[in-house]
Amino acid sequence: MPTLDDIAAAAGVSRNAASRALSGRTKATWPSVRERVDHIRRVAAELGYRPHAAARALSERRFACAALIMGTESSRSTLIHGLLDGIITELDANQHRLSVARLSDDALVEPATLPQVLRECSADGLLVNYTHAAPKGMRQVLEAAGIPAVWINAQREVDCVHPDDHGGAHAATAELLRLGHRRIAYLEWHQHPGEHYSFDARRGGYEHAMREAGLPPRSLYLPAGTAVEDSLPVVDEWLTGPERPTAVLAYCFAEILYLGARLRGLSVPKDLSISTFMERPLLLIDRQPTATLVPGYELGRASAAMLLDKFAAPTVALAPRVIPMTYHSGDTIAPPPEA
Amino acid sequence: MPTLDDIAAAAGVSRNAASRALSGRTKATWPSVRERVDHIRRVAAELGYRPHAAARALSERRFACAALIMGTESSRSTLIHGLLDGIITELDANQHRLSVARLSDDALVEPATLPQVLRECSADGLLVNYTHAAPKGMRQVLEAAGIPAVWINAQREVDCVHPDDHGGAHAATAELLRLGHRRIAYLEWHQHPGEHYSFDARRGGYEHAMREAGLPPRSLYLPAGTAVEDSLPVVDEWLTGPERPTAVLAYCFAEILYLGARLRGLSVPKDLSISTFMERPLLLIDRQPTATLVPGYELGRASAAMLLDKFAAPTVALAPRVIPMTYHSGDTIAPPPEA
DNA sequence: ATGAAAGCGCTAACAA
DNA sequence: TTGTTAGCGCTTTCAT
């Protein structure tokens, strides 16, 4: 495994010269210098030289590495589809690496441990994948220690990146309105306090759009604790009567809704439009679901980019970066039957 | 940020003594020595000392870090649910870290680059998450370079960890047989050459169990290129006639099958049993799917453990580690109607 | 723009 | 067991 000294020796220059040439620090304005630089580079390529990241980190006093940290409780640190991919892509483009760590709640709030975690992880900053119910005080600890950190998929005043859940729900509702729907319902599950912010944001976006149109919002819930096998009768009730919705925006349970509609003889989307937030790449039903999706990849890229910005200016608080959601046009929505 | 020298100074000992005490290299048989060690440890804890991973790596000539590598084409490097969690858990328990990298196919087969990737990633070995269609020659390159590597969810002669797909399918079929089913079909999609090994393995397990019972295996396919919206008539055909299966083991499309059954008036599981391989944690339907699941977490732990073993003995080829699949008993299977 | 020398924080070899 | 010394591979002064 060739070292910088090897390259220098093979190229007949000093170690320093080799270092500067390979890192592009030598400006090479003069032609003869330029030639030497090329020569060094060629030798390095031939010998298959790659810098030793640890040695460089030690010397440069930075690791060129970000750490993705998650909690021990996986439900609060779900890894969104595409996120990792986006993070790696962005870091890679900036010659940074990614390491992944999982810390207990206790470790996260202990003022002493966190900074040192960075040393042990060989990271310069944190991508915090603690989407909700993050341990209290963690934020202050990070700030006090001056640790660059970006919060992924969380809504905070600064230093966070999250999808535009409000806008996404608004747009999805607007599309249903545009098609002529008036009785549009919103379906979610019974919300627990401290849930992810997207529950409020999406419902808010829906209600906003409805109010703009002068229509009353209507929420559908499966009563808390409803067993799955008992859900179909509830769904059936929703779809009964003259006031039944002609369209439903569903945070979840879209499949049960779909099944209920089909069993009731309602055709989707002819009799009932369903617009979802399903992140599932595969099809669940015999339709392509019309869906407003969390842009995991873009979220990852933006998070990494923001962290890189923070590396450049660690003390500056950055405004939240809100990423548009991806609208995936499927075939589960259409104009209402009356239209 | 305290360094080892700081600890040593504060404790009034040499740097070396501090190093040995903290790493547990000092045996401390004599009581007075034991006391000093404790003292040093206490000082370190108070000052919040944590070793600098890069410095240690440079000195020890190992990184105490594994790299999870994936291809650029994400379909071939899907991150199984729970896998990352399992990997981190196992590595963490052995004071190792994880970094994640994504390499292009070209980079993976280039004999020169791979070893150096390790340096740049600060890793000692590879967890290869290239479940199928890995670039040819990659294996040889790794071997020639003497790079410790474990293949995750791939079937190879050595150094791999994968679920017992054959056994899982066999057991699922056996359970259906035990319930009294005779006409058990196997549902998958049209297989492309070079697909993941689990296609063959699961079908093999199913056929094996059927043959043991003296029954003819029967495979159901959605014809290649079937549009999703055209799939229901096909499903309907499967469920028609006196020879219709009373149970289906479904690699995929379980939802469509379920929907088709319900629309046809067949009750699940009373009239039709469905046993799946769905990895989805959420419910898709109004039943808890009976499922044989890929044990992502255990897969991760086992992979990491095997890699750690390889660190200890890099040249020894290790026998494949086959992890039992997780059988999740739901309520989509029951005895056949005739029984 | 170059080469010599120092140092990043740690462990490993030595002598005491 | 301890302290001393050397060195891991790299970047960074600082003269030249």
Side-chain angles (χ1 to χ4, degrees), chain B residues 78-101:
Chain B
T78 321
L79 209 52
I80 302 170
H81 186 82
L83 185 77
L84 204 57
D85 211 26
I87 291 174
I88 293 180
T89 301
E90 186 65 25
L91 289 179
D92 204 54
N94 293 275
Q95 293 82 246
H96 277 243
R97 283 160 302 107
L98 177 71
S99 77
V100 182

Side-chain angles (χ1 to χ4, degrees), chain A residues 28-85:
Chain A
T29 40
W30 237 43
S32 80
V33 176
R34 164 130 210 87
E35 194 179 319
R36 257 160 68 96
V37 166
D38 282 348
H39 175 233
I40 294 171
R41 292 221 172 110
R42 213 170 308 121
V43 170
E46 273 169 28
L47 270 58
Y49 169 77
R50 290 265 188 130
H52 191 292
R56 177 177 279 174
L58 197 55
S59 177
E60 272 190 308
R61 250 152 281 184
R62 62 187 204 93
F63 298 102
C65 177
L68 177 69
I69 63 167
M70 337 221 283
T72 16
E73 198 182 324
S74 58
S75 71
R76 286 186 293 168
S77 302
T78 322
L79 209 53
I80 302 170
H81 186 82
L83 185 77
L84 205 56
D85 211 26

Side-chain angles (χ1 to χ4, degrees), chain A residues 84-133:
Chain A
L84 205 56
D85 211 26
I87 291 174
I88 292 179
T89 302
E90 186 66 26
L91 290 179
D92 204 54
N94 292 275
Q95 292 82 248
H96 277 244
R97 284 161 300 109
L98 176 71
S99 78
V100 182
R102 218 191 33 198
L103 279 64
S104 74
D105 281 16
D106 299 342
L108 285 168
V109 294
E110 187 68 38
T113 51
L114 213 37
Q116 296 133 11
V117 163
L118 286 183
R119 288 177 48 138
E120 235 174 358
C121 287
S122 301
D124 304 306
L126 265 32
L127 292 167
V128 183
N129 191 34
Y130 231 98
T131 56
H132 66 287

Side-chain angles (χ1 to χ4, degrees), chain B residues 51-301:
Chain B
H52 191 292
R56 177 177 281 174
L58 197 54
S59 177
E60 271 190 310
R61 251 155 280 185
R62 63 185 203 93
F63 298 103
C65 178
L68 177 69
I69 64 168
M70 338 219 284
T72 16
E73 198 182 322
S74 57
S75 71
R76 285 186 295 167
S77 302
T78 321
L79 209 52
I80 302 170
H81 186 82
L83 185 77
L84 204 57
D85 211 26
I87 291 174
I88 293 180
T89 301
E90 186 65 25
L91 289 179
D92 204 54
N94 293 275
Q95 293 82 246
H96 277 243
R97 283 160 302 107
L98 177 71
S99 77
V100 182
R102 219 191 30 199
L103 279 65
S104 75
D105 281 15
D106 299 342
L108 285 168
V109 294
E110 187 68 37
T113 52
L114 212 38
Q116 296 132 14
V117 163
L118 285 183
R119 286 176 49 137
E120 233 173 0
C121 287
S122 301
D124 304 306
L126 264 33
L127 292 167
V128 183
N129 191 33
Y130 231 100
T131 55
H132 65 286
K136 296 191 197 314
M138 179 172 171
R139 168 75 183 286
Q140 285 76 2
V141 169
L142 285 174
E143 214 162 68
I147 298 175
V150 170
W151 298 71
I152 300 177
N153 198 14
Q155 215 172 27
R156 323 198 116 233
E157 288 177 16
V158 294
D159 302 335
C160 67
V161 176
H162 63 82
D164 182 12
D165 288 279
H166 185 101
H170 186 281
T173 311
E175 175 64 10
L176 292 170
L177 288 165
R178 197 189 62 75
L179 288 171
H181 291 274
R182 313 292 292 168
R183 301 198 304 275
I184 307 172
Y186 185 79
L187 169 58
E188 61 185 332
W189 62 49
H190 191 81
Q191 189 184 359
H192 305 292
E195 281 281 13
H196 191 249
Y197 79 91
S198 62
F199 283 81
D200 285 337
R202 293 182 186 177
R203 195 189 326 98
Y206 156 76
E207 289 176 351
H208 184 194
M210 291 298 277
R211 250 180 270 111
E212 278 178 340
L215 295 169
R218 175 181 171 195
S219 280
L220 305 175
Y221 294 89
L222 278 183
T226 307
V228 195
E229 57 270 24
D230 298 332
S231 56
L232 271 182
V234 180
V235 171
D236 206 57
E237 203 172 306
W238 294 337
L239 301 177
T240 306
E243 287 308 306
R244 75 164 188 86
T246 58
V248 176
L249 182 59
Y251 190 112
C252 49
F253 298 138
E255 312 89 339
I256 295 182
L257 180 66
Y258 181 73
L259 178 60
R262 292 300 299 260
L263 288 176
R264 206 183 160 67
L266 295 177
S267 166
V268 174
K270 201 164 64 80
D271 301 315
L272 178 70
S273 288
I274 302 181
S275 189
T276 79
F277 293 98
M278 310 280 321
E279 297 186 31
R280 200 149 187 254
L282 290 176
L283 312 162
L284 350 162
I285 44 181
D286 60 336
R287 294 279 182 278
Q288 288 277 4
T290 294
T292 303
L293 301 172
V294 171
Y297 182 82
E298 287 307 327
L299 222 50
R301 291 202 64 153

Side-chain angles (χ1 to χ4, degrees), chain A residues 185-256:
Chain A
Y186 185 78
L187 169 59
E188 62 188 332
W189 62 49
H190 190 80
Q191 189 183 359
H192 305 291
E195 279 283 11
H196 191 248
Y197 79 91
S198 62
F199 282 81
D200 285 338
R202 291 182 188 177
R203 195 190 325 99
Y206 156 76
E207 290 176 351
H208 185 194
M210 290 298 276
R211 251 181 270 110
E212 278 177 341
L215 295 170
R218 176 181 170 194
S219 280
L220 305 176
Y221 294 89
L222 279 184
T226 307
V228 196
E229 57 272 23
D230 299 333
S231 57
L232 271 181
V234 180
V235 171
D236 205 58
E237 203 174 307
W238 295 337
L239 301 177
T240 306
E243 288 307 305
R244 74 163 189 87
T246 59
V248 176
L249 182 59
Y251 190 112
C252 50
F253 297 138
E255 312 89 339
I256 294 181

